[in-house]
Amino acid sequence: MNFYSLNQQAPTVSFKDAVIQGIAPDRGLYFPEHITPLPTSFFENIEDLSNHEIAFLAIRQFVGDEIPEAKLKEIIAEVLDFDFPVVELDENVATLELFHGPTLAFKDVGARFMARCLGEFSAKETNEVTVLVATSGDTGGAVANGFLGVRGVKVVILYPSGKVSDIQEKQLTTLGKNIGALEVDGTFDDCQRMVKTAFLDEELLHKMQLTSANSINVARWLPQLFYFLFAYKQVKSKGKEIVFSIPSGNFGNICAGIMAQKLGMPCHHFIAATNVNNIVPNFMKTGKYEPKPSIATISNAMDVGDPSNFIRIRHLYQDDFETLSKNISSYSFTDEQTKEAMVEIYNDCSYVADPHGAVGYLGLKKYQENHPNTYGIFLETAHPVKFLDIVEDTIRENIDLPEKIAKIMDKKKKATSISSYEELKKYLLSN
Ligand SMILES: *Cc1c(COP(=O)(O)O)cnc(C)c1O
């Protein structure tokens, strides 16, 4: 399968090159040339398929023959070695738990899939690939874990000193091997600026193959469509109209859901739920896309002021505002409303939601006010323990540390402190 740049000013490339480059030379996002729906028999018989079979049949067309079938199956089996349960909370409300992976974040699947694709491609190259990422918390842990031990790939993660949670810092700094952590004296924006500078540094690019691991990369974005198919398989027998509510930041996850629908998955509507970073809800009201600086919230993985994947969603609807509005609703919620929702979910359903999941719940409830007969699934994108302080303060209960987390809390942190781009460059060139 070939991929073209949405900016239309760069040549089309293979899946392999799209994965290695991340973004096109004209700074456009890559998009598949064709999307061929799966046969109706796939959806009719989906309950007879394993998750591995579903994933393979869904992603194969995008990968093409650039990874041999047997290898692709092996990658899928490694990536999807945990569950994706739909938990029903009420008659027409359920949550899809995406936090059972190694770092308890939904980004585990995309990060692991991308890591293995890149490992497969770079195994045939003589040059090592260096993955450079800035993280405000969750992405870094998932990427570090996903790439751990992948041959031919080195990972360098920049995080703002003192601004990630203890759990998140441990997840970034205790792995060792091919994963290097740089503790930056500055903010997340400083980290991101340094990464961007590196990607434009000709001297550096001449000496090493640099790539990024954010959701712009097709190998991180596309495998997220599995979630929606796994959910569909679990709730299909209810025979109701299914709607998904997705807590959204960069809009990669929801865009993958719409891809699943394009593949033929019967699904009635999508809800893009955001915190006060309301660029898309505003767009759905006014038709104007106006990026803004991001605002800090308690659902901080969604603090995005210019969601990079929204352009892919617009493209999926040929940028036709009317069809887009028929298929997607978007609502924004404050931290106050998010906390109230966490309490409501806990009191009414005995379920502990994290702040991101709670935003998804709010979006679903709002939509169902006018569409009461739909079966709604909101996505739980992180384990509540990752936002321990907020969750415990809000629902006034203690929650237990899962074993996966308890284990790493005793490990020793290893990070290199830096405070300028020059120090980053020196680190990259000397390691
Ligand atoms: C990244 C993230 C999101 C937002 O996902 P997008 O694909 O960027 O919209 C939501 N919740 C959590 C916990 C995340 O880490």
Side-chain angles (χ1 to χ4, degrees), residues 105-107 138 215 224 247-254 301-302 354 356 381-382 387:
F106 90 91
K107 293 186 171 72
D138 255 17
S215 59
Q224 300 178 113
S248 296
N250 251 325
F251 284 68
N253 206 8
I254 185 170
M302 312 197 298
D354 94 293
H356 303 79
T381 45
F387 301 89

Side-chain angles (χ1 to χ4, degrees), residues 243-263:
V243 299
F244 284 100
S245 177
I246 299 100
S248 296
N250 251 325
F251 284 68
N253 206 8
I254 185 170
C255 185
I258 299 166
M259 288 292 280
Q261 188 188 35
K262 290 271 170 197
L263 291 178

Side-chain angles (χ1 to χ4, degrees), residues 168-185:
Q168 288 173 331
E169 183 168 43
K170 289 283 185 180
Q171 286 182 328
L172 296 173
T173 57
T174 59
L175 294 168
K177 292 191 188 160
N178 58 330
I179 313 296
L182 295 179
E183 181 172 1
V184 176
D185 179 18

